[in-house]
Amino acid sequence: MLDIAEELHRWVEQGRDFAVATVVAVGGSAPRQPGAALAVDSEGTAIGSVSGGCVEGAVYELCQTALDDGRTVVERFGYSDEDAFAVGLTCGGIIDILVTPVRGGVFPAALAAAVSGAAAALARIVSGPEDLLGQALLVHPDGSYEGKLGGHPELDRTAAAEARALLDAGRTGTVEIGEDGSRCGQPLSLLVESSVPAPRMIVFGAIDFASALVRVGKFLGYHVTVCDARPVFATKLRFPEADEIVVEWPHRYLESTEVDARTVLCVLTHDAKFDVPLLQAALRLPVAYVGAMGSRRTHEDRNERLREVGVTELELARLRSPIGLDLGARTPEETALSIGAEIVANRRGGSGVSLTGAHTPIHHDGPDTPLAGRIGSVA
């Protein structure tokens, strides 16, 4: 639901009644992952998607029914072998969808947090006793929470602790706990949707390729910073879509700024006086991705210089260089696309090879799509 939070927040402010259908578990080659949502208001306006079009019509009707009768339900959609034109997923996958009317509770606060960029997790019961379906908690980074799931007093505390663990990792997924808050009681499944600030992309080197990469980074949902020691090049005029422009020696800026396990670092300077001290620091940080531009000769020369300043072979193995996937790219835009593709493949666990004839999974269970979110979590 949080992926369409901005529009839903406007609906709340306008006092609209609406229902939300959320993917809570998937199996096979399902087109959307847990947390994907479609919402329908009382006037029939729809936003979002749960299947890329396969079952949207049926889910739209379920949302209208939920608005009429106020009931929360879980429905499963799969492929129909008897009739390929029946309502179902033509890709052969299976999805479970939670449909619930949204009328107060913690939902407005959850949407407001998502829109403002504040960290919070929305935990909802998606499997268990019918009277508990859809009950929700809003969990904050310090472990405090709003709302009530109902049932045993320990249930809220256990659910909040589980949701906080996923929030700390910036992940969305499902967890199973007992109805009494233990691991032994009648099981409940919770969908936990984490709302966290956008991950950072830091682009070092204010060159023409950087301008294209900024656009790709924004398209992929990153908060993008451009850093260069040369003030004549590092300007807002040259990088209007960047969130930040920093004039500083790259290694000094990296040492002073905050990064985390979702941060990607793209080094486009291909100049040893910038690259060596920057990569020496970058390869020792717990970031998601470090890539550096340059020819293969530049790459070999840079690696030797890094070894000379004490960078280990294990640290060098983290470096993606030459940066990007082999797309045959030549223009700045094509090169930015190849870099963005490598970042996505690294994030999702993809191989980067062509899907045609590859016999590899189309969707991978990368860091942001944990196995807990797959079919079997929801009965």
Side-chain angles (χ1 to χ4, degrees):
M1 184 177 77
L2 299 183
D3 62 351
I4 52 174
E6 189 169 346
E7 184 63 30
L8 292 185
H9 182 58
R10 281 197 288 268
W11 286 8
V12 169
E13 290 185 324
Q14 293 166 2
R16 298 198 210 182
D17 286 334
F18 59 93
V20 175
T22 306
V23 176
V24 296
V26 304
S29 185
R32 302 296 306 274
Q33 291 299 307
L38 179 147
V40 179
D41 73 0
S42 55
E43 299 298 318
T45 303
I47 58 171
S49 171
V50 291
S51 71
C54 300
V55 299
E56 250 65 11
V59 174
Y60 180 91
E61 293 179 2
L62 287 172
C63 287
Q64 290 186 312
T65 299
L67 279 170
D68 291 338
D69 62 23
R71 293 181 63 246
T72 295
V73 298
V74 174
E75 293 284 343
R76 173 166 291 183
F77 293 90
Y79 182 74
S80 170
D81 291 325
E82 294 77 21
D83 182 359
F85 294 98
V87 173
L89 299 179
T90 55
C91 59
I94 300 171
I95 57 174
D96 284 354
I97 296 178
L98 174 75
V99 183
T100 183
V102 177
R103 290 166 179 157
V106 300
F107 293 100
L111 295 171
V115 170
S116 68
L122 180 66
R124 289 185 282 170
I125 297 177
V126 297
S127 161
E130 187 174 344
D131 63 327
L132 296 183
L133 282 180
Q135 295 299 310
L137 288 181
L138 180 62
V139 182
H140 301 287
D142 62 1
S144 62
Y145 57 89
E146 304 170 43
K148 185 175 179 60
L149 296 180
H152 197 281
E154 285 296 319
L155 178 58
D156 292 345
R157 284 190 285 272
T158 302
E162 294 287 348
R164 184 185 180 188
L166 282 174
L167 176 60
D168 287 345
R171 298 174 66 181
T172 288
T174 53
V175 295
E176 289 196 358
I177 59 178
E179 189 178 341
D180 60 358
S182 71
R183 293 293 181 183
C184 303
Q186 184 72 21
L188 298 174
S189 291
L190 296 175
L191 173 68
V192 179
E193 297 178 78
S194 293
S195 171
V196 292
R200 297 192 68 190
M201 172 185 283
I202 308 179
V203 181
F204 297 98
I207 63 176
D208 51 353
F209 289 91
S211 180
L213 184 55
V214 167
R215 296 195 295 274
V216 168
K218 293 299 296 179
F219 176 75
L220 292 176
Y222 285 91
H223 181 280
V224 183
T225 300
V226 175
C227 174
D228 197 299
R230 303 164 298 179
V232 67
F233 295 114
T235 66
K236 193 66 177 176
L237 183 63
R238 297 188 70 225
F239 302 96
E241 296 180 65
D243 296 290
E244 294 178 292
I245 308 291
V246 176
V247 179
E248 178 59 280
W249 277 76
H251 72 283
R252 291 176 184 167
Y253 175 66
L254 185 58
E255 291 168 352
S256 66
T257 193
E258 291 187 8
V259 297
D260 60 26
R262 300 182 302 146
T263 301
V264 300
L265 307 177
C266 301
V267 181
L268 309 186
T269 46
H270 51 83
D271 184 329
K273 68 176 179 289
F274 294 119
D275 290 1
V276 172
L278 172 59
L279 289 171
Q280 183 182 11
L283 293 172
R284 293 169 179 168
L285 292 173
V287 295
Y289 173 92
V290 182
M293 179 176 278
S295 66
R296 296 196 183 279
R297 177 179 294 180
T298 297
H299 166 73
E300 294 300 331
D301 176 71
R302 185 166 50 211
N303 277 5
E304 285 306 311
R305 291 173 183 268
L306 288 169
R307 291 186 183 100
E308 290 171 4
V309 296
V311 176
T312 68
E313 294 302 317
L314 189 61
E315 290 166 342
L316 276 177
R318 297 185 60 209
L319 178 60
R320 300 300 184 103
S321 174
I323 195 170
L325 297 184
D326 179 13
L327 304 183
R330 290 190 175 275
T331 68
E333 289 73 20
E334 291 171 347
T335 302
L337 178 63
S338 79
I339 296 170
E342 184 174 55
I343 290 170
V344 172
N346 180 70
R347 178 179 179 181
R348 300 297 187 185
S351 66
V353 303
S354 175
L355 290 172
T356 303
H359 305 294
T360 56
I362 296 176
H363 305 293
H364 292 259
D365 291 305
D368 295 331
T369 48
L371 286 172
R374 298 189 65 134
I375 210 76
S377 299
V378 179

PDB file of all heavy atoms in Angstrom, residues 220 289-292 319-327 336-350 352:
ATOM      1  N   LEU A 220      15.171   5.367 -10.784  1.00  0.00           N
ATOM      2  CA  LEU A 220      15.205   4.151  -9.971  1.00  0.00           C
ATOM      3  C   LEU A 220      14.851   4.401  -8.507  1.00  0.00           C
ATOM      4  O   LEU A 220      14.808   3.462  -7.718  1.00  0.00           O
ATOM      5  CB  LEU A 220      16.590   3.498 -10.061  1.00  0.00           C
ATOM      6  CG  LEU A 220      16.971   2.914 -11.423  1.00  0.00           C
ATOM      7  CD1 LEU A 220      18.401   2.389 -11.404  1.00  0.00           C
ATOM      8  CD2 LEU A 220      16.002   1.807 -11.829  1.00  0.00           C
ATOM      9  N   TYR A 289      27.046  -1.065  -3.265  1.00  0.00           N
ATOM     10  CA  TYR A 289      27.647  -1.132  -4.595  1.00  0.00           C
ATOM     11  C   TYR A 289      28.725  -0.070  -4.713  1.00  0.00           C
ATOM     12  O   TYR A 289      28.530   1.078  -4.290  1.00  0.00           O
ATOM     13  CB  TYR A 289      26.560  -0.895  -5.644  1.00  0.00           C
ATOM     14  CG  TYR A 289      27.011  -0.772  -7.083  1.00  0.00           C
ATOM     15  CD1 TYR A 289      27.063  -1.885  -7.914  1.00  0.00           C
ATOM     16  CD2 TYR A 289      27.360   0.463  -7.626  1.00  0.00           C
ATOM     17  CE1 TYR A 289      27.451  -1.782  -9.249  1.00  0.00           C
ATOM     18  CE2 TYR A 289      27.754   0.591  -8.948  1.00  0.00           C
ATOM     19  CZ  TYR A 289      27.792  -0.534  -9.756  1.00  0.00           C
ATOM     20  OH  TYR A 289      28.181  -0.410 -11.068  1.00  0.00           O
ATOM     21  N   VAL A 290      29.874  -0.465  -5.273  1.00  0.00           N
ATOM     22  CA  VAL A 290      30.937   0.478  -5.604  1.00  0.00           C
ATOM     23  C   VAL A 290      31.368   0.188  -7.028  1.00  0.00           C
ATOM     24  O   VAL A 290      31.839  -0.914  -7.338  1.00  0.00           O
ATOM     25  CB  VAL A 290      32.157   0.349  -4.662  1.00  0.00           C
ATOM     26  CG1 VAL A 290      33.208   1.398  -5.036  1.00  0.00           C
ATOM     27  CG2 VAL A 290      31.752   0.486  -3.204  1.00  0.00           C
ATOM     28  N   GLY A 291      31.182   1.157  -7.913  1.00  0.00           N
ATOM     29  CA  GLY A 291      31.576   0.992  -9.306  1.00  0.00           C
ATOM     30  C   GLY A 291      32.466   2.129  -9.743  1.00  0.00           C
ATOM     31  O   GLY A 291      32.321   3.263  -9.265  1.00  0.00           O
ATOM     32  N   ALA A 292      33.398   1.846 -10.657  1.00  0.00           N
ATOM     33  CA  ALA A 292      34.329   2.885 -11.118  1.00  0.00           C
ATOM     34  C   ALA A 292      34.470   2.829 -12.632  1.00  0.00           C
ATOM     35  O   ALA A 292      34.619   1.751 -13.220  1.00  0.00           O
ATOM     36  CB  ALA A 292      35.692   2.720 -10.456  1.00  0.00           C
ATOM     37  N   LEU A 319      34.833  -4.245  -6.063  1.00  0.00           N
ATOM     38  CA  LEU A 319      34.789  -3.149  -7.026  1.00  0.00           C
ATOM     39  C   LEU A 319      34.224  -3.615  -8.366  1.00  0.00           C
ATOM     40  O   LEU A 319      34.708  -4.579  -8.957  1.00  0.00           O
ATOM     41  CB  LEU A 319      36.200  -2.593  -7.231  1.00  0.00           C
ATOM     42  CG  LEU A 319      36.350  -1.451  -8.245  1.00  0.00           C
ATOM     43  CD1 LEU A 319      35.507  -0.247  -7.834  1.00  0.00           C
ATOM     44  CD2 LEU A 319      37.819  -1.069  -8.393  1.00  0.00           C
ATOM     45  N   ARG A 320      33.184  -2.934  -8.846  1.00  0.00           N
ATOM     46  CA  ARG A 320      32.630  -3.179 -10.174  1.00  0.00           C
ATOM     47  C   ARG A 320      33.335  -2.233 -11.147  1.00  0.00           C
ATOM     48  O   ARG A 320      33.018  -1.043 -11.218  1.00  0.00           O
ATOM     49  CB  ARG A 320      31.117  -2.932 -10.176  1.00  0.00           C
ATOM     50  CG  ARG A 320      30.335  -3.804  -9.212  1.00  0.00           C
ATOM     51  CD  ARG A 320      30.492  -5.288  -9.507  1.00  0.00           C
ATOM     52  NE  ARG A 320      29.667  -6.102  -8.647  1.00  0.00           N
ATOM     53  CZ  ARG A 320      28.525  -6.665  -9.018  1.00  0.00           C
ATOM     54  NH1 ARG A 320      28.065  -6.489 -10.242  1.00  0.00           N
ATOM     55  NH2 ARG A 320      27.849  -7.416  -8.166  1.00  0.00           N
ATOM     56  N   SER A 321      34.296  -2.782 -11.875  1.00  0.00           N
ATOM     57  CA  SER A 321      35.093  -1.955 -12.780  1.00  0.00           C
ATOM     58  C   SER A 321      35.622  -2.818 -13.921  1.00  0.00           C
ATOM     59  O   SER A 321      36.117  -3.928 -13.671  1.00  0.00           O
ATOM     60  CB  SER A 321      36.256  -1.320 -12.021  1.00  0.00           C
ATOM     61  OG  SER A 321      37.122  -0.628 -12.888  1.00  0.00           O
ATOM     62  N   PRO A 322      35.500  -2.352 -15.174  1.00  0.00           N
ATOM     63  CA  PRO A 322      34.799  -1.143 -15.600  1.00  0.00           C
ATOM     64  C   PRO A 322      33.318  -1.192 -15.223  1.00  0.00           C
ATOM     65  O   PRO A 322      32.697  -2.239 -15.285  1.00  0.00           O
ATOM     66  CB  PRO A 322      34.972  -1.139 -17.113  1.00  0.00           C
ATOM     67  CG  PRO A 322      36.194  -1.987 -17.363  1.00  0.00           C
ATOM     68  CD  PRO A 322      36.157  -3.040 -16.312  1.00  0.00           C
ATOM     69  N   ILE A 323      32.803  -0.054 -14.855  1.00  0.00           N
ATOM     70  CA  ILE A 323      31.445   0.039 -14.319  1.00  0.00           C
ATOM     71  C   ILE A 323      30.400  -0.301 -15.387  1.00  0.00           C
ATOM     72  O   ILE A 323      30.584  -0.008 -16.563  1.00  0.00           O
ATOM     73  CB  ILE A 323      31.208   1.462 -13.757  1.00  0.00           C
ATOM     74  CG1 ILE A 323      29.961   1.509 -12.871  1.00  0.00           C
ATOM     75  CG2 ILE A 323      31.146   2.484 -14.872  1.00  0.00           C
ATOM     76  CD1 ILE A 323      29.836   2.836 -12.111  1.00  0.00           C
ATOM     77  N   GLY A 324      29.301  -0.949 -14.964  1.00  0.00           N
ATOM     78  CA  GLY A 324      28.174  -1.202 -15.850  1.00  0.00           C
ATOM     79  C   GLY A 324      28.173  -2.582 -16.486  1.00  0.00           C
ATOM     80  O   GLY A 324      29.157  -3.328 -16.418  1.00  0.00           O
ATOM     81  N   LEU A 325      27.040  -2.936 -17.097  1.00  0.00           N
ATOM     82  CA  LEU A 325      26.901  -4.177 -17.840  1.00  0.00           C
ATOM     83  C   LEU A 325      27.294  -3.963 -19.298  1.00  0.00           C
ATOM     84  O   LEU A 325      27.261  -2.843 -19.813  1.00  0.00           O
ATOM     85  CB  LEU A 325      25.450  -4.682 -17.779  1.00  0.00           C
ATOM     86  CG  LEU A 325      24.898  -5.047 -16.404  1.00  0.00           C
ATOM     87  CD1 LEU A 325      23.478  -5.614 -16.554  1.00  0.00           C
ATOM     88  CD2 LEU A 325      25.790  -6.044 -15.687  1.00  0.00           C
ATOM     89  N   ASP A 326      27.654  -5.044 -19.962  1.00  0.00           N
ATOM     90  CA  ASP A 326      28.054  -4.984 -21.371  1.00  0.00           C
ATOM     91  C   ASP A 326      26.822  -4.857 -22.252  1.00  0.00           C
ATOM     92  O   ASP A 326      26.204  -5.845 -22.646  1.00  0.00           O
ATOM     93  CB  ASP A 326      28.840  -6.250 -21.735  1.00  0.00           C
ATOM     94  CG  ASP A 326      29.273  -6.256 -23.199  1.00  0.00           C
ATOM     95  OD1 ASP A 326      29.173  -5.189 -23.845  1.00  0.00           O
ATOM     96  OD2 ASP A 326      29.695  -7.322 -23.677  1.00  0.00           O
ATOM     97  N   LEU A 327      26.449  -3.620 -22.564  1.00  0.00           N
ATOM     98  CA  LEU A 327      25.341  -3.351 -23.474  1.00  0.00           C
ATOM     99  C   LEU A 327      25.847  -2.816 -24.813  1.00  0.00           C
ATOM    100  O   LEU A 327      25.060  -2.495 -25.690  1.00  0.00           O
ATOM    101  CB  LEU A 327      24.378  -2.326 -22.862  1.00  0.00           C
ATOM    102  CG  LEU A 327      23.777  -2.626 -21.494  1.00  0.00           C
ATOM    103  CD1 LEU A 327      22.795  -1.530 -21.104  1.00  0.00           C
ATOM    104  CD2 LEU A 327      23.097  -3.981 -21.482  1.00  0.00           C
ATOM    105  N   ALA A 336      24.787   5.294 -18.849  1.00  0.00           N
ATOM    106  CA  ALA A 336      24.024   5.405 -17.599  1.00  0.00           C
ATOM    107  C   ALA A 336      23.052   4.250 -17.461  1.00  0.00           C
ATOM    108  O   ALA A 336      22.857   3.710 -16.362  1.00  0.00           O
ATOM    109  CB  ALA A 336      23.279   6.742 -17.556  1.00  0.00           C
ATOM    110  N   LEU A 337      22.442   3.840 -18.575  1.00  0.00           N
ATOM    111  CA  LEU A 337      21.526   2.704 -18.545  1.00  0.00           C
ATOM    112  C   LEU A 337      22.265   1.431 -18.140  1.00  0.00           C
ATOM    113  O   LEU A 337      21.757   0.636 -17.348  1.00  0.00           O
ATOM    114  CB  LEU A 337      20.874   2.523 -19.920  1.00  0.00           C
ATOM    115  CG  LEU A 337      19.921   1.338 -20.063  1.00  0.00           C
ATOM    116  CD1 LEU A 337      18.717   1.488 -19.140  1.00  0.00           C
ATOM    117  CD2 LEU A 337      19.461   1.218 -21.517  1.00  0.00           C
ATOM    118  N   SER A 338      23.479   1.240 -18.663  1.00  0.00           N
ATOM    119  CA  SER A 338      24.244   0.040 -18.326  1.00  0.00           C
ATOM    120  C   SER A 338      24.642   0.035 -16.852  1.00  0.00           C
ATOM    121  O   SER A 338      24.651  -1.017 -16.205  1.00  0.00           O
ATOM    122  CB  SER A 338      25.488  -0.072 -19.212  1.00  0.00           C
ATOM    123  OG  SER A 338      26.533   0.780 -18.778  1.00  0.00           O
ATOM    124  N   ILE A 339      24.956   1.208 -16.312  1.00  0.00           N
ATOM    125  CA  ILE A 339      25.294   1.300 -14.887  1.00  0.00           C
ATOM    126  C   ILE A 339      24.058   1.022 -14.035  1.00  0.00           C
ATOM    127  O   ILE A 339      24.109   0.260 -13.059  1.00  0.00           O
ATOM    128  CB  ILE A 339      25.878   2.692 -14.564  1.00  0.00           C
ATOM    129  CG1 ILE A 339      27.193   2.907 -15.307  1.00  0.00           C
ATOM    130  CG2 ILE A 339      26.091   2.843 -13.053  1.00  0.00           C
ATOM    131  CD1 ILE A 339      27.707   4.337 -15.245  1.00  0.00           C
ATOM    132  N   GLY A 340      22.939   1.651 -14.413  1.00  0.00           N
ATOM    133  CA  GLY A 340      21.701   1.415 -13.676  1.00  0.00           C
ATOM    134  C   GLY A 340      21.299  -0.049 -13.710  1.00  0.00           C
ATOM    135  O   GLY A 340      20.843  -0.617 -12.707  1.00  0.00           O
ATOM    136  N   ALA A 341      21.479  -0.696 -14.860  1.00  0.00           N
ATOM    137  CA  ALA A 341      21.143  -2.115 -14.985  1.00  0.00           C
ATOM    138  C   ALA A 341      22.006  -2.967 -14.068  1.00  0.00           C
ATOM    139  O   ALA A 341      21.527  -3.927 -13.444  1.00  0.00           O
ATOM    140  CB  ALA A 341      21.307  -2.562 -16.435  1.00  0.00           C
ATOM    141  N   GLU A 342      23.289  -2.633 -13.966  1.00  0.00           N
ATOM    142  CA  GLU A 342      24.165  -3.395 -13.066  1.00  0.00           C
ATOM    143  C   GLU A 342      23.776  -3.203 -11.611  1.00  0.00           C
ATOM    144  O   GLU A 342      23.806  -4.148 -10.808  1.00  0.00           O
ATOM    145  CB  GLU A 342      25.622  -2.994 -13.276  1.00  0.00           C
ATOM    146  CG  GLU A 342      26.586  -3.825 -12.435  1.00  0.00           C
ATOM    147  CD  GLU A 342      28.038  -3.538 -12.732  1.00  0.00           C
ATOM    148  OE1 GLU A 342      28.444  -2.363 -12.644  1.00  0.00           O
ATOM    149  OE2 GLU A 342      28.772  -4.503 -13.046  1.00  0.00           O
ATOM    150  N   ILE A 343      23.381  -1.987 -11.256  1.00  0.00           N
ATOM    151  CA  ILE A 343      22.952  -1.712  -9.886  1.00  0.00           C
ATOM    152  C   ILE A 343      21.699  -2.518  -9.546  1.00  0.00           C
ATOM    153  O   ILE A 343      21.595  -3.113  -8.468  1.00  0.00           O
ATOM    154  CB  ILE A 343      22.711  -0.203  -9.695  1.00  0.00           C
ATOM    155  CG1 ILE A 343      24.051   0.545  -9.718  1.00  0.00           C
ATOM    156  CG2 ILE A 343      21.966   0.080  -8.393  1.00  0.00           C
ATOM    157  CD1 ILE A 343      23.915   2.050  -9.787  1.00  0.00           C
ATOM    158  N   VAL A 344      20.739  -2.569 -10.481  1.00  0.00           N
ATOM    159  CA  VAL A 344      19.518  -3.346 -10.246  1.00  0.00           C
ATOM    160  C   VAL A 344      19.843  -4.836 -10.140  1.00  0.00           C
ATOM    161  O   VAL A 344      19.338  -5.540  -9.254  1.00  0.00           O
ATOM    162  CB  VAL A 344      18.489  -3.099 -11.364  1.00  0.00           C
ATOM    163  CG1 VAL A 344      17.311  -4.057 -11.225  1.00  0.00           C
ATOM    164  CG2 VAL A 344      17.989  -1.659 -11.315  1.00  0.00           C
ATOM    165  N   ALA A 345      20.692  -5.344 -11.033  1.00  0.00           N
ATOM    166  CA  ALA A 345      21.068  -6.756 -10.988  1.00  0.00           C
ATOM    167  C   ALA A 345      21.751  -7.095  -9.671  1.00  0.00           C
ATOM    168  O   ALA A 345      21.490  -8.147  -9.068  1.00  0.00           O
ATOM    169  CB  ALA A 345      21.984  -7.094 -12.161  1.00  0.00           C
ATOM    170  N   ASN A 346      22.614  -6.204  -9.197  1.00  0.00           N
ATOM    171  CA  ASN A 346      23.295  -6.421  -7.920  1.00  0.00           C
ATOM    172  C   ASN A 346      22.305  -6.404  -6.762  1.00  0.00           C
ATOM    173  O   ASN A 346      22.377  -7.224  -5.840  1.00  0.00           O
ATOM    174  CB  ASN A 346      24.350  -5.329  -7.722  1.00  0.00           C
ATOM    175  CG  ASN A 346      25.112  -5.475  -6.422  1.00  0.00           C
ATOM    176  OD1 ASN A 346      25.911  -6.383  -6.254  1.00  0.00           O
ATOM    177  ND2 ASN A 346      24.849  -4.565  -5.481  1.00  0.00           N
ATOM    178  N   ARG A 347      21.340  -5.497  -6.836  1.00  0.00           N
ATOM    179  CA  ARG A 347      20.360  -5.356  -5.762  1.00  0.00           C
ATOM    180  C   ARG A 347      19.404  -6.536  -5.707  1.00  0.00           C
ATOM    181  O   ARG A 347      19.036  -7.012  -4.637  1.00  0.00           O
ATOM    182  CB  ARG A 347      19.585  -4.054  -5.980  1.00  0.00           C
ATOM    183  CG  ARG A 347      18.488  -3.778  -4.970  1.00  0.00           C
ATOM    184  CD  ARG A 347      17.817  -2.456  -5.284  1.00  0.00           C
ATOM    185  NE  ARG A 347      16.746  -2.155  -4.348  1.00  0.00           N
ATOM    186  CZ  ARG A 347      15.981  -1.065  -4.420  1.00  0.00           C
ATOM    187  NH1 ARG A 347      16.186  -0.184  -5.381  1.00  0.00           N
ATOM    188  NH2 ARG A 347      15.034  -0.862  -3.534  1.00  0.00           N
ATOM    189  N   ARG A 348      19.004  -7.048  -6.871  1.00  0.00           N
ATOM    190  CA  ARG A 348      17.994  -8.097  -6.944  1.00  0.00           C
ATOM    191  C   ARG A 348      18.561  -9.500  -7.116  1.00  0.00           C
ATOM    192  O   ARG A 348      17.811 -10.469  -7.128  1.00  0.00           O
ATOM    193  CB  ARG A 348      17.027  -7.813  -8.102  1.00  0.00           C
ATOM    194  CG  ARG A 348      16.288  -6.495  -7.997  1.00  0.00           C
ATOM    195  CD  ARG A 348      15.393  -6.461  -6.777  1.00  0.00           C
ATOM    196  NE  ARG A 348      14.559  -5.257  -6.773  1.00  0.00           N
ATOM    197  CZ  ARG A 348      13.760  -4.918  -5.788  1.00  0.00           C
ATOM    198  NH1 ARG A 348      13.683  -5.676  -4.713  1.00  0.00           N
ATOM    199  NH2 ARG A 348      13.024  -3.817  -5.852  1.00  0.00           N
ATOM    200  N   GLY A 349      19.869  -9.613  -7.270  1.00  0.00           N
ATOM    201  CA  GLY A 349      20.460 -10.933  -7.438  1.00  0.00           C
ATOM    202  C   GLY A 349      20.378 -11.452  -8.847  1.00  0.00           C
ATOM    203  O   GLY A 349      20.444 -12.662  -9.071  1.00  0.00           O
ATOM    204  N   GLY A 350      20.248 -10.560  -9.836  1.00  0.00           N
ATOM    205  CA  GLY A 350      20.168 -10.975 -11.231  1.00  0.00           C
ATOM    206  C   GLY A 350      21.535 -11.263 -11.817  1.00  0.00           C
ATOM    207  O   GLY A 350      22.562 -10.791 -11.319  1.00  0.00           O
ATOM    208  N   GLY A 352      22.358 -10.584 -15.101  1.00  0.00           N
ATOM    209  CA  GLY A 352      22.723  -9.625 -16.130  1.00  0.00           C
ATOM    210  C   GLY A 352      22.748 -10.207 -17.524  1.00  0.00           C
ATOM    211  O   GLY A 352      23.030  -9.491 -18.485  1.00  0.00           O
TER     212      GLY A 352
END
